[in-house]
Amino acid sequence: MTSIGQRLCIQEVSARDGFQMETQAVPTDKKIAYLNRLSETGLSKIEVTSFASPASIPTLADAESVIKGLLRVPGVIYTALVPNLRGCERALATTIDEINLVISASESHNLANLRMTCEQSLVQLASIARRAQSAVQVSASISTAFGCPFEGTIEVARVMDLVGRFADMGIDQVALCDTTGVANPAQVEHLFAEVRSRWPGKQFTAHFHNTRGMGLANVLAALRVGITRFDASLGGLGGCPFAPGATGNICTEDLVHMLQAMGLETGVDLSRLLLIAADLPSLVGHDVPGQVVKAGVSTRRYPFSGAVDRTPPQSITSLTRGLQ
Ligand code: COA
Ligand code: ZN
């Protein structure tokens, strides 16, 4: 089990996994202001955009302008998703710190998402790794690692094979992604234990979606086998437009709130995060799934005068009251 005192890394993905799923693009200047606020919260890494084809992901077509507008905070790693060689060239022309390569564990989702077979993707990803490694950090994400909406079960051996292929490319940071929220805690514990025992030196990230309410339970399962890096999305935005039934990632502020309540160290300022989360519905134009911003933190206390006040919380100030 990940121990108390061990620093956990929270990697914010709402500006990529979240905004890619929105029907209306968040205006570029608002994205930049949002990311600059997030940079001040103690997050370890922020995925700021994606260098996907604008035809596939129109809401992230402004990737270059977003990166140009970032006020970088030292210690924060700024990363962007790269699906192909053209995306790599675009990324390398910016000041991004890291590129995050993507492939699916399942053939059908890779075809739907990237319009390539897995082998075609691997050929491109290997040349991207060769091309990019001297300029930027390179990480990789394996989508549908816990199950595929088209094919169902994904064998552990398939994920191990892909992690091995990334190892051959010299990539030591790999995220295992539950793209459509089908993973359960027993499965999570098993898969992460397998990859960690085979590659003890690699940094594995857990990337969960909360589509079936198992997201935070899956975090606990990953913690039990020593995982210390978690992708999460403010407000619980997120989802892959090319995976039927996909919905939001685990919610960053709910995750940080849980970890903090358990006495685990994330380095993230929960009060600041909640203030940004409170503004998120107006930024994206709809309600979001995050729960702590609605309920207030677990240490919140109400005045007791003999009768229970049933009026809903009025302001974000009252929601964060109770935080140390
Ligand atoms: N950025 C910008 N333009 C790109 C591009 C990229 N990364 N990749 C391809 N293009 C352009 C090509 O230059 C070409 O332009 P042209 O018609 O003017 O010549 C056109 O798009 C088609 O190129 P092609 O290589 O045939 O790409 P494609 O249409 O088969 O798309 C991907 C392949 C991988 C780029 C696309 O499927 C994609 O962006 N997928 C990402 C999906 C995603 O991000 N999902 C969520 C995250 S898991
Ligand atoms: Zn995702």
Side-chain angles (χ1 to χ4, degrees):
M1 175 92 184
T2 302
S3 56
I4 290 179
Q6 192 172 358
R7 167 82 179 263
L8 303 177
C9 295
I10 308 300
Q11 307 178 157
E12 172 60 37
V13 301
S14 56
R16 195 277 300 169
D17 210 327
F19 292 171
Q20 76 184 11
M21 196 64 171
E22 294 299 318
T23 44
Q24 293 291 318
V26 175
T28 307
D29 58 334
K30 292 195 172 155
K31 277 185 192 171
I32 292 169
Y34 172 73
L35 286 163
N36 288 341
R37 280 179 90 190
L38 283 172
S39 285
E40 299 284 350
T41 60
L43 292 159
S44 304
K45 193 184 274 193
I46 305 179
E47 193 167 47
V48 293
T49 188
S50 152
F51 289 98
S53 144
S56 293
I57 310 280
T59 55
L60 301 184
D62 57 359
E64 285 83 354
S65 307
V66 167
I67 292 168
K68 222 176 258 172
L70 294 175
L71 298 174
R72 284 151 179 277
V73 170
V76 179
I77 296 168
Y78 297 90
T79 188
L81 196 85
V82 163
N84 66 354
L85 266 165
R86 170 88 183 97
C88 171
E89 293 306 327
R90 288 175 60 203
L92 293 183
T94 71
T95 56
I96 200 76
D97 298 323
E98 182 190 277
I99 59 172
N100 181 23
L101 311 188
V102 62
I103 189 169
S104 287
S106 79
E107 201 65 52
S108 331
H109 184 253
N110 210 67
L111 282 168
N113 195 38
L114 303 171
R115 298 164 183 255
M116 288 179 267
T117 65
C118 292
E119 280 308 317
Q120 286 168 333
S121 273
L122 284 164
V123 169
Q124 288 216 25
L125 299 183
S127 54
I128 291 172
R130 277 194 300 277
R131 164 91 178 82
Q133 261 150 349
S134 58
V136 291
Q137 292 181 45
V138 181
S139 66
S141 287
I142 302 176
S143 300
T144 66
F146 297 87
C148 167
F150 306 109
E151 294 177 25
T153 308
I154 297 294
E155 300 298 332
V156 169
R158 171 68 180 151
V159 178
M160 301 288 275
D161 178 48
L162 287 174
V163 176
R165 299 286 288 265
F166 285 125
D168 295 342
M169 298 176 204
I171 296 173
D172 293 323
Q173 293 189 53
V174 181
L176 303 188
C177 306
D178 182 21
T179 310
T180 52
V182 296
N184 67 71
Q187 181 190 14
V188 165
E189 196 170 325
H190 178 64
L191 185 57
F192 277 110
E194 289 285 314
V195 293
R196 266 180 51 83
S197 76
R198 172 96 169 266
W199 292 280
K202 279 199 188 302
Q203 292 180 344
F204 290 102
T205 289
H207 177 111
F208 297 129
H209 285 254
N210 197 35
T211 311
R212 291 172 179 80
M214 294 187 277
L216 291 186
N218 286 337
V219 168
L220 192 61
L223 283 170
R224 280 166 61 92
V225 288
I227 296 300
T228 58
R229 289 169 187 272
F230 295 92
D231 284 351
S233 173
L234 207 75
L237 294 179
C240 174
F242 304 101
T247 63
N249 292 73
I250 55 168
C251 167
T252 312
E253 65 273 20
D254 291 0
L255 171 67
V256 170
H257 175 267
M258 180 185 89
L259 297 172
Q260 203 166 294
M262 292 169 69
L264 296 170
E265 182 53 49
T266 63
V268 178
D269 182 334
L270 180 57
S271 301
R272 282 188 181 209
L273 211 54
L274 285 169
L275 291 170
I276 307 169
D279 292 338
L280 197 53
S282 66
L283 185 68
V284 294
H286 57 81
D287 191 20
V288 299
Q291 290 181 291
V292 174
V293 81
K294 292 171 187 140
V297 296
S298 60
T299 47
R300 181 182 185 194
R301 294 294 174 266
Y302 297 83
F304 183 69
S305 58
V308 175
D309 178 3
R310 294 181 60 84
T311 52
Q314 293 301 311
S315 69
I316 187 66
T317 324
S318 69
L319 294 178
T320 56
R321 191 174 299 143
L323 270 179
Q324 303 305 312

